[in-house]
């Protein structure tokens, strides 16, 4: 498992913004807009034991980073594994996220995925 994490980080580190992204079926997904390397120690959202001054929603809102713009459980996974944000016109929000473990290979100008476009989480 540890070795897999290192391999994923090596792959993610070879990706640069503007690269073309192609899914496992050969469909052009879009272009890389953001590259985020994984952080195995990324903070996960935890519920407070006592917070008389604010609601849980306010706490989660303040603890949630602007990226990735997905549900908290998926955001935590993306932050731990590393991810790409891909600009695309295939979803209404204009972007999808690719987990590091969904990347099959990286060439000089292209990222090949092990997933279908339909399996990529869209930006909210």
């Amino acid at each position: 498992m540890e070795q897999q994490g290192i391999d994923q980080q090596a792959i993610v580190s070879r990706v640069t913004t503007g690269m073309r992204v192609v899914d496992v079926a050969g469909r052009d997904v879009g272009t890389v807009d953001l590259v985020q390397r994984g952080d195995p120690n990324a903070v996960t959202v935890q519920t407070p034991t006592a917070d008389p001054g604010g609601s849980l929603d306010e706490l989660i809102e303040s603890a949630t980073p602007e990226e990735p713009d997905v549900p908290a459980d998926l955001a935590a996974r993306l932050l731990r594994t590393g991810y790409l944000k891909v600009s695309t016109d295939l979803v209404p929000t204009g972007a999808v996220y690719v987990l590091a473990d969904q990347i099959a290979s990286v060439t000089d100008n292209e990222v090949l995925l092990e997933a279908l476009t339909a399996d990529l989480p869209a930006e909210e």
Side-chain angles (χ1 to χ4, degrees):
M1 182 70 181
E2 187 65 34
Q3 182 62 40
Q4 183 182 5
I6 293 167
D7 292 344
Q8 288 172 353
Q9 293 314 306
I11 288 174
V12 171
S13 67
R14 294 179 46 212
V15 179
T16 57
T17 56
M19 285 181 134
R20 185 170 164 244
V21 179
V22 179
D23 78 3
V24 71
R27 183 175 189 187
D28 192 354
V29 179
T31 56
V32 176
D33 193 38
L34 174 72
V35 179
Q36 180 65 52
R37 292 185 65 160
D39 177 3
N41 302 316
V43 177
T44 55
V45 178
Q46 297 180 1
T47 56
T49 50
D51 181 20
S55 73
L56 179 58
D57 287 339
E58 289 169 351
L59 179 72
I60 291 172
E61 189 68 32
S62 67
T64 304
E66 304 228 346
E67 287 291 349
D69 188 5
V70 293
D73 57 336
L74 178 58
R77 185 171 166 218
L78 287 167
L79 291 170
R80 280 194 303 271
T81 63
Y83 67 91
L84 308 178
K85 181 177 181 181
V86 179
S87 295
T88 180
D89 51 14
L90 302 176
V91 296
T93 55
V96 293
Y97 293 95
V98 176
L99 283 104
D101 60 9
Q102 292 176 309
I103 300 171
S105 64
V106 179
T107 64
D108 289 343
N109 58 358
E110 193 172 74
V111 179
L112 300 172
L113 304 182
E114 292 180 348
L116 292 169
T117 303
D119 296 333
L120 303 175
E123 181 176 43
E124 290 196 332

